[in-house]
Amino acid sequence: MYGLVLEGGGAKGSYHVGAYEAILECGLEIVAISGTSIGALNGAMIVQGDFGLCRELWEDICYSKIVNADDEDIKRLRQLKLNIEDIRHFGMKLKDVISDRGFDITPFKNMLNRYVDEDKIRKSNIDFGIVTVNLTDFRAAEIFKDDIPEGMIKDYLLASAFLPVFKNERIAGKHYIDGGLYDNLPYRMLSNKGYKKLILVRTHPGEETLIQDESLEEVIIITPSDAIGRSFTYEKDICRRNIKLGYYDGLKAIKGYVGNHYYFYSKGDKFYTDYLMGLDDKKLDRLSDLFNISNSNKRRALFEEIIPKVSTILNLGRESNYEDIVIGLLERVAGQLKLEKFRVYSFEEMCDEIKGLESNIPSYKDRFNGILGKIESLSLKNKEEILTQVVDIMFLDRI
């Protein structure tokens, strides 16, 4: 049984949907949810047993469901495709926003009324916590459903997502602001209440997740492996892609798939060590030639000189193993070929996919002699050419 923590992030909340779908598919039981901002809204729909409704919301999201604005106007503004008339038009719109002291979020409140059912939330066996910031009293509010006054769960959800650019409103006579300013990933709420197995769903790719709680027994972190747009990008295509990304990233985190840009069943480091050990002398000679290595013991050179240089070109850290390096090589070529991302590959399946399209892979003949001793001096283009040749030699044998 796990507690689920949903990070805030506006439109990035679409990623939560896919991640939760993976959690359901893997049969993990959720007994508590805490969320900030959009994480609180998604959490509310999950708690009340309406995950299908949550998915429906995100698959059909648009700007006009959040603020009182025209979707096409916002898209043109984001893309900066403006003529003189557009500039005048937006100037008047901005004047209205300023005079009203913020964006009108009536559509967002209407959405809360449509998608959130307080009675279901209170009757649910899943515990539920929300984070917001009370500006009137100058304090953070970490509050669970049992402590929220009757009839005010929607108000607290609104308070948790309230941005400074929104039209100023009071909730129970007090001003609130987005809970992300205090704690955008509120795992401590659950930990402090005794939930010691947590699943954290992030919405910020590339950010390190620092967990400072030694009492936790298990932490599963689902984090975006690719860009998921910006907090205010409420566009269907992006959000639908985020749902897929969240699903596969969720499966990766829970089932232990490997890969940075694609998803692979793990075979373990021994399989890849044996694979590299099994490269024949002809391939070893070609690799040594490519990297300008004269060591007579080609197999030793492979592990002591060639593989470390490949790892450096791939920007893998020192902790990377042979599985990481081989998968990293395959991912580079898969990216060139634009292979389907949303699929779980076996090593053999990926090799077969690449071989089936090998005619689309550039064939480079230069050997870069005298350059490869200084990997950092290579251009990005040269690095890509080198990695392509390594894949050719190891997997395709075209050179």
Side-chain angles (χ1 to χ4, degrees), residues 363-368 389 398-399:
S363 182
Y364 302 106
K365 299 301 180 183
D366 294 332
R367 292 293 188 254
F368 306 98
Q389 290 196 58
R398 294 191 303 159
I399 297 178

Side-chain angles (χ1 to χ4, degrees), residues 99-130:
S99 64
D100 287 341
R101 297 184 179 182
F103 287 97
D104 178 5
I105 57 169
T106 298
F108 183 69
K109 291 189 285 186
N110 291 338
M111 186 172 70
L112 286 175
N113 289 329
R114 177 182 175 186
Y115 288 97
V116 177
D117 187 320
E118 177 166 336
D119 188 53
K120 286 184 178 179
I121 291 173
R122 293 194 181 277
K123 290 179 179 178
S124 172
N125 292 326
I126 301 175
D127 203 357
F128 181 48
I130 298 170

Side-chain angles (χ1 to χ4, degrees), residues 197-213:
K197 289 185 175 183
L198 301 182
I199 301 172
L200 279 53
V201 183
R202 302 294 316 269
T203 55
H204 293 77
E207 280 192 8
E208 186 178 0
T209 306
L210 298 177
I211 304 299
Q212 299 175 325
D213 189 337

Side-chain angles (χ1 to χ4, degrees), residues 12-232:
K12 298 178 182 181
S14 51
Y15 182 82
H16 297 152
V17 177
Y20 187 69
E21 186 176 345
I23 291 169
L24 286 178
E25 184 175 305
C26 293
L28 303 184
E29 183 181 357
I30 301 300
V31 294
I33 297 177
S34 64
T36 300
S37 190
I38 202 67
L41 173 59
N42 286 339
M45 287 184 279
I46 293 171
V47 169
Q48 70 190 36
D50 287 325
F51 174 62
L53 199 62
C54 181
R55 185 181 182 110
E56 173 191 300
L57 184 159
W58 283 106
E59 287 185 336
D60 198 38
I61 198 69
C62 59
Y63 295 102
S64 57
K65 288 188 176 182
I66 308 301
V67 295
N68 191 10
D70 183 89
D71 289 294
E72 291 306 315
D73 279 352
I74 295 180
K75 286 182 181 180
R76 281 156 56 210
L77 185 60
R78 284 190 65 249
Q79 297 167 0
L80 294 179
K81 294 180 178 178
L82 308 177
N83 55 36
I84 295 297
E85 289 302 315
D86 289 332
I87 294 172
R88 290 174 180 167
H89 171 72
F90 286 118
M92 294 300 295
K93 292 275 188 179
L94 183 59
K95 182 179 178 181
D96 291 340
V97 170
I98 294 172
S99 64
D100 287 341
R101 297 184 179 182
F103 287 97
D104 178 5
I105 57 169
T106 298
F108 183 69
K109 291 189 285 186
N110 291 338
M111 186 172 70
L112 286 175
N113 289 329
R114 177 182 175 186
Y115 288 97
V116 177
D117 187 320
E118 177 166 336
D119 188 53
K120 286 184 178 179
I121 291 173
R122 293 194 181 277
K123 290 179 179 178
S124 172
N125 292 326
I126 301 175
D127 203 357
F128 181 48
I130 298 170
V131 178
T132 184
V133 175
N134 184 329
L135 286 179
T136 303
D137 298 335
F138 295 101
R139 65 179 181 84
E142 296 178 303
I143 189 166
F144 284 90
K145 66 178 182 179
D146 290 343
D147 299 316
I148 296 175
E150 288 288 335
M152 292 193 65
I153 283 182
K154 293 176 187 177
D155 294 307
Y156 273 87
L157 289 172
L158 177 62
S160 182
F162 207 91
L163 295 174
V165 295
F166 291 165
K167 188 175 180 179
N168 197 10
E169 295 189 34
R170 290 176 182 266
I171 297 173
K174 298 185 179 183
H175 293 289
Y176 289 85
I177 199 167
D178 193 299
L181 294 178
Y182 172 71
D183 189 353
N184 209 32
L185 189 68
Y187 68 88
R188 293 180 187 84
M189 279 189 75
L190 298 187
S191 174
N192 291 339
K193 203 172 180 183
Y195 301 103
K196 298 305 178 183
K197 289 185 175 183
L198 301 182
I199 301 172
L200 279 53
V201 183
R202 302 294 316 269
T203 55
H204 293 77
E207 280 192 8
E208 186 178 0
T209 306
L210 298 177
I211 304 299
Q212 299 175 325
D213 189 337
E214 295 181 357
S215 71
L216 292 173
E217 299 171 7
E218 181 183 354
V219 179
I220 298 172
I221 301 173
I222 302 174
T223 190
S225 61
D226 204 351
I228 60 172
R230 298 187 177 187
S231 297
F232 290 99

Side-chain angles (χ1 to χ4, degrees), residues 385-397:
E385 291 175 0
I386 292 162
L387 293 175
T388 299
Q389 290 196 58
V390 172
V391 171
D392 279 340
I393 295 168
M394 287 186 175
F395 309 115
L396 305 183
D397 201 22

Side-chain angles (χ1 to χ4, degrees), residues 316-329:
L316 298 176
R318 291 184 178 180
E319 70 282 358
S320 60
N321 56 29
Y322 295 125
E323 181 173 51
D324 297 328
I325 294 167
V326 172
I327 293 301
L329 280 167

